[in-house]
Amino acid sequence: LTRSNQHHLFRWGTVRAPKSNRQATASDEASLPGASTRPMPLHSLYFLALFLPLAVAVHFLLTRAGHFRLAIAGLVGLSLAFCGWRGLTDAEILVGSISVNFLIALLLHRHSGQPGPKQTFFLALGITVNLSLLGYFKYSAFVVENVNALLHTTYPVLTTYLPIGISFLTFQQIAYLTD
């Protein structure tokens, strides 16, 4: 496969040939549909001069006015805006993961009075979902490339990028479920 005839397989990546059959390019990681190639790093002028002061001002003003829940909602909204700066994909992954974990936590809470196999199942399901998400984004290309190298196959490699904070989010959500 060449860059000109790659086909998008999933929303979060593109199919590409194994490394042995093509030259890697610097734009492989930025080949997401709809993704900007300009992320907002924490040391950028956009973040330091615009985003951070806006977030602090919104939180300070709302908290000072006594709107604590609105202040928290504002910080959540600004966090999603930060994650979605280079494209909505990061924010979609974040919201999806949080939603799934919230539903699993509700199921755990519903069965909290009766510890047993149901609680164990839901907790194991939550941990499995979280680690699967992390494993997909961190290791899927690595695994397919190694299978291709070991077995001399040409399975297509799904080029993924690492969403911002995915490791932190995963382990925070596992801690949330276990508490």
Side-chain angles (χ1 to χ4, degrees):
L1 295 174
T2 63
R3 293 283 300 158
S4 61
N5 67 356
Q6 286 182 354
H7 300 288
H8 294 289
L9 181 63
F10 293 105
R11 195 165 183 180
W12 299 311
T14 57
V15 174
R16 64 180 166 94
K19 283 185 180 177
S20 60
N21 296 345
R22 69 171 187 91
Q23 289 182 336
T25 63
S27 63
D28 281 348
E29 293 300 316
S31 61
L32 279 171
S36 167
T37 57
R38 294 178 29 194
M40 184 184 351
L42 298 176
H43 63 280
S44 72
L45 187 59
Y46 285 117
F47 182 80
L48 293 174
L50 297 173
F51 192 83
L52 184 60
L54 175 68
V56 170
V58 165
H59 183 68
F60 177 76
L61 292 173
L62 289 174
T63 303
R64 186 150 197 168
H67 302 292
F68 301 109
R69 289 183 184 241
L70 195 56
I72 291 172
L75 285 180
V76 168
L78 287 168
S79 296
L80 290 174
F82 178 78
C83 288
W85 180 260
R86 69 175 172 186
L88 286 180
T89 305
D90 284 352
E92 291 168 351
I93 293 166
L94 179 69
V95 169
S97 181
I98 290 170
S99 299
V100 167
N101 278 280
F102 182 72
L103 293 174
I104 291 172
L106 287 177
L107 292 170
L108 283 169
H109 182 70
R110 179 178 295 168
H111 298 288
S112 63
Q114 35 186 297
K118 285 185 180 181
Q119 265 197 322
T120 304
F121 171 76
F122 291 128
L123 182 59
L125 175 68
I127 291 171
T128 302
V129 166
N130 282 301
L131 292 179
S132 297
L133 183 69
L134 180 64
Y136 169 76
F137 283 107
K138 286 193 116 177
Y139 302 111
S140 63
F142 172 77
V143 169
V144 173
E145 286 176 357
N146 282 306
V147 166
N148 284 339
L150 288 173
L151 303 177
H152 304 290
T153 58
T154 57
Y155 293 117
V157 177
L158 182 64
T159 303
T160 60
Y161 75 105
L162 201 56
I164 189 168
I166 191 74
S167 297
F168 175 77
L169 175 71
T170 298
F171 292 113
Q172 281 295 113
Q173 291 185 134
I174 289 173
Y176 170 70
L177 291 176
T178 57
D179 283 348

